[in-house]
Amino acid sequence: MDELTLHEYSDRRLNNAVAIVGFPSLGLISSIATSFLAKELELDLIASITSPSFPPYAVVQNGVPMPPVRFYMGTRENVKDDGGIDCEDIVVITSEFVPKTEMFTALADVIVQWCHDNNVHTVITLDGIPQFTPEQYDIIGVGSTERARELMNTYGIESFDEGMVRGLSGMILVKAVDEDLDVITLLGSAKQEMPDPRGAAKIMEPLAKMLPELKIDTEPLYKEAEDIEKRFTAPVSDTNDNIYG
């Protein structure tokens, strides 16, 4: 496999940071959520990962081409004792493409090492699980360390005790155990047949408890979910029926 290359665009050193990681998952909820966070919080692009093995495309945002795997950063303002996680800086790591299976280990290595080198003490990865009950959105979590599991309990996140966490989230959990890095993987239920912005909004609810001063308006995601659901469930018009006889 071709080597991954980390590009850093800022020499600023992070302080006491939390990172939120989201790559495409079921219903695309994790990448929708992290992309939404980076945009709504107006975070700065500070690093990226590239590889000849990545799909050949550029992400265009506000007319500016961007690399496929991006690291954004912002500083928490007016931090006080509000019951949230103790941190000064927030990092969002996001992408719109699903890495090849053989790339997960290397990507997890780069992300965990970058977090270790940049004073990131807690990582929250977002991932999707099947929605078995219509309109019911469940969120469960896995912690890499006892500290992470205690943090989950503090914020009322139900523990996922038996099963598997696949893909990049699973590999980051494994790497985090070796590095003694606090990682919480949030698993949110999502629709399987379509992009699910509502699921993305739901999985951000625990983040609002952990970082309560971040006033994220998720209403646009709910509106987008309604529009998508209408398109997927709209009946074929009589006009189209007539065209096909």
Side-chain angles (χ1 to χ4, degrees):
M1 184 189 71
D2 294 303
E3 185 177 351
L4 301 175
T5 302
L6 175 68
H7 306 268
E8 298 192 82
Y9 311 126
S10 171
D11 58 3
R12 177 182 166 183
R13 188 167 178 79
L14 277 66
N15 295 308
N16 192 28
V18 168
I20 303 167
V21 182
F23 278 58
S25 59
L26 198 66
L28 303 179
I29 63 171
S30 43
S31 54
I32 291 174
T34 47
S35 179
F36 185 80
L37 282 170
K39 180 180 179 180
E40 289 297 303
L41 297 176
E42 299 181 347
L43 304 182
D44 297 322
L45 181 68
I46 60 167
S48 68
I49 299 174
T50 62
S51 170
S53 295
F54 286 175
Y57 69 78
V59 177
V60 180
Q61 296 180 342
N62 297 322
V64 179
M66 299 279 187
V69 179
R70 303 176 302 286
F71 295 56
Y72 295 94
M73 185 273 289
T75 298
R76 294 178 74 185
E77 298 180 358
N78 302 320
V79 177
K80 56 182 181 296
D81 185 15
D82 52 12
I85 294 177
D86 176 25
C87 76
E88 297 177 38
D89 294 322
I90 298 171
V91 176
V92 172
I93 303 174
T94 187
S95 181
E96 289 77 18
F97 84 100
V98 180
K100 298 177 182 177
T101 301
E102 59 269 23
M103 302 185 75
F104 286 135
T105 298
L107 272 170
D109 281 339
V110 172
I111 291 172
V112 169
Q113 186 61 50
W114 186 90
C115 290
H116 178 76
D117 294 341
N118 286 273
N119 294 323
V120 175
H121 62 71
T122 303
V123 177
I124 303 168
T125 67
L126 310 180
D127 222 313
I129 54 176
Q131 183 185 37
F132 295 111
T133 302
E135 306 309 319
Q136 179 177 327
Y137 286 87
D138 299 310
I139 296 175
I140 54 180
V142 181
S144 64
T145 64
E146 187 60 35
R147 294 186 302 272
R149 291 185 283 273
E150 289 174 359
L151 202 58
M152 285 169 45
N153 186 60
T154 297
Y155 294 104
I157 300 168
E158 181 182 351
S159 177
F160 176 50
D161 294 329
E162 300 290 339
M164 291 191 298
V165 178
R166 301 176 183 273
L168 184 62
S169 293
M171 293 311 303
I172 288 177
L173 279 170
V174 171
K175 297 294 180 182
V177 172
D178 294 336
E179 295 288 333
D180 194 32
L181 175 66
D182 295 341
V183 173
I184 295 174
T185 293
L186 294 179
L187 303 167
S189 53
K191 299 183 187 303
Q192 303 181 60
E193 69 278 7
M194 67 180 77
D196 193 350
R198 182 177 285 105
K202 291 292 186 181
I203 204 171
M204 283 195 287
E205 290 179 359
L207 297 179
K209 297 178 182 178
M210 296 177 185
L211 304 166
E213 88 287 354
L214 300 183
K215 305 301 183 183
I216 302 298
D217 179 13
T218 56
E219 186 60 32
L221 290 178
Y222 286 105
K223 178 64 169 63
E224 184 179 352
E226 292 175 2
D227 293 342
I228 290 174
E229 288 161 1
K230 288 177 182 178
R231 290 199 297 271
F232 270 78
T233 58
V236 178
S237 68
D238 292 339
T239 301
N240 286 337
D241 289 342
N242 292 335
I243 288 173
Y244 292 102

